[in-house]
Amino acid sequence: MKRIFLASLLCTAIMTTVAYATPVNQHALEPTMVTTVKDVQQLKDNSKVLLKGQVVKSLGDEKYEFRDATGMIKVEIDDELWHGHAVSATETLTLVGEVDIDYKPIKRVEIDVKEVKLPD
């Protein structure tokens, strides 16, 4: 009985180590299809998105207004993601990020940007 218990404990420890040691392919997590602002409203919290459009206005505190052909949405872009580049409101960018939904006091949908792809 002790041997069975020790063997199962050992197997569990090995499986846990293998699971945490396996590297994650970051590119597999990146969405491949462009999502529109209109579509974002129907997605679940933490859904991965790829948006193409313009950052038209700074709202302060790393928040911006983003626009595509279907509408506008607030996005949060950390300063270091700009890599020192200034962009105009007419420049088309690609943003990779996640949907961030807050339900209090009312439903608010934003995008937490993980990567900014600037035009060439």
Side-chain angles (χ1 to χ4, degrees):
M1 187 66 142
K2 286 183 183 179
R3 287 184 180 173
I4 294 172
F5 175 74
L6 289 175
S8 66
L9 187 63
L10 181 62
C11 285
T12 302
I14 291 171
M15 295 300 284
T16 303
T17 303
V18 169
Y20 283 104
T22 305
V24 175
N25 181 355
Q26 183 64 30
H27 296 292
L29 300 177
E30 185 176 308
T32 56
M33 289 183 45
V34 175
T35 307
T36 66
V37 170
K38 183 179 178 183
D39 292 339
V40 166
Q41 303 301 325
Q42 309 307 317
L43 296 176
K44 294 180 182 178
D45 195 28
N46 298 319
S47 296
K48 308 292 186 232
V49 294
L50 182 97
L51 296 165
K52 286 192 179 211
Q54 297 81 33
V55 172
V56 294
K57 184 177 174 184
S58 173
L59 303 172
D61 196 31
E62 299 184 337
K63 304 270 187 181
Y64 300 87
E65 196 170 86
F66 177 85
R67 175 185 67 210
D68 71 4
T70 66
M72 295 185 133
I73 192 166
K74 189 185 293 184
V75 297
E76 182 175 347
I77 304 173
D78 293 336
D79 291 336
E80 61 267 10
L81 294 178
W82 292 112
H83 301 290
H85 292 94
V87 296
S88 72
T90 59
E91 223 169 338
T92 300
L93 309 172
T94 302
L95 304 180
V96 179
E98 297 178 349
V99 175
D100 182 21
I101 301 176
D102 186 11
Y103 291 98
K104 295 179 183 175
I106 59 172
K107 184 178 178 183
R108 175 195 50 78
V109 180
E110 293 183 1
I111 302 299
D112 183 12
V113 176
K114 305 296 183 189
E115 182 181 0
V116 176
K117 296 180 180 180
L118 301 168
D120 294 331

